[in-house]
Amino acid sequence: MKKLHRLRERLVTAVPGLDRDPDRLLTFVEEGSIEFRRGRDLTHEYRFVAQLVLTDFTGDLDTVMLPLLQWLAEYQPDLDPGEALTFEAEILANRAVDLALRVPLTERVIARVDCDTGHIQAEHSLSHFPSHACMATRWQLLVRETTEQEWSVAAEWDAPHG
């Protein structure tokens, strides 16, 4: 589940205030399965729905979604656009919400069997598809409520490959 740990790290560093209280981001695995084909090696792929729950969130939803979508574009670009992300929110008092996000993820494990030595070498293949169109290493999310207002910085984070 190395990919889920990386996704969690991205959100903790990108969502304003979450780095000061990372325990507000809960992570779970739902609907996990393993795709495996019989053969000499034990290579397989984890397939699961990652659930991330951000508790007592009071910020702008874009400060969560845009870093998440940017991460998905680089680490899970093969997702069906209509099913890449689902979410629910429980509205709490004082404009806070508990936000639950669900993202289907895959993680391939190359496991080579050496019958002569009795070794199995396992390596997680965390594919990365960087965008060469945007080479910025630091991002700022600028927002405004109306076209008459000035833009203001809502969030900042390092690029997934940065």
Side-chain angles (χ1 to χ4, degrees):
M1 312 270 178
K2 296 180 187 310
K3 192 178 269 190
L4 180 55
H5 289 288
R6 285 191 181 177
L7 175 54
R8 178 184 168 75
E9 288 171 3
R10 168 58 48 216
L11 292 177
V12 166
T13 60
V15 176
L18 201 50
D19 59 339
R20 291 187 304 276
D21 192 5
D23 290 338
R24 288 184 30 236
L25 181 61
L26 310 172
T27 52
F28 306 94
V29 171
E30 298 178 348
E31 304 171 32
S33 66
I34 294 178
E35 182 177 305
F36 170 72
R37 290 186 173 75
R38 186 175 174 183
R40 178 176 180 225
D41 291 326
L42 299 174
T43 296
H44 58 282
E45 183 174 79
Y46 293 106
R47 295 174 175 261
F48 57 94
V49 175
Q51 182 176 17
L52 301 109
V53 178
L54 181 54
T55 61
D56 297 319
F57 179 67
T58 58
D60 186 324
L61 189 58
D62 288 337
T63 63
V64 177
M65 294 302 180
L66 292 171
L68 174 57
L69 293 174
Q70 186 182 48
W71 187 91
L72 288 173
E74 292 203 21
Y75 289 95
Q76 197 72 51
D78 57 340
L79 289 175
D80 179 332
E83 299 173 2
L85 175 63
T86 60
F87 68 95
E88 295 177 8
E90 180 181 353
I91 309 302
L92 306 172
N94 301 322
R95 298 185 51 186
V97 298
D98 285 347
L99 180 64
L101 308 161
R102 286 182 192 81
V103 182
L105 297 176
T106 59
E107 186 173 324
R108 187 164 174 78
V109 178
I110 309 299
R112 293 183 179 87
V113 174
D114 185 333
C115 295
D116 295 332
T117 63
H119 294 162
I120 301 173
Q121 294 178 322
E123 175 181 18
H124 287 250
S125 176
L126 301 176
S127 300
H128 180 230
F129 304 92
S131 169
H132 296 292
C134 289
M135 296 308 293
T137 58
R138 182 108 179 120
W139 291 92
Q140 289 184 327
L141 172 61
L142 305 173
V143 298
R144 65 180 178 186
E145 296 294 320
T146 67
T147 56
E148 291 81 30
Q149 290 181 325
E150 295 293 319
W151 293 98
S152 63
V153 176
E156 297 184 64
W157 65 91
D158 290 328
H161 58 277

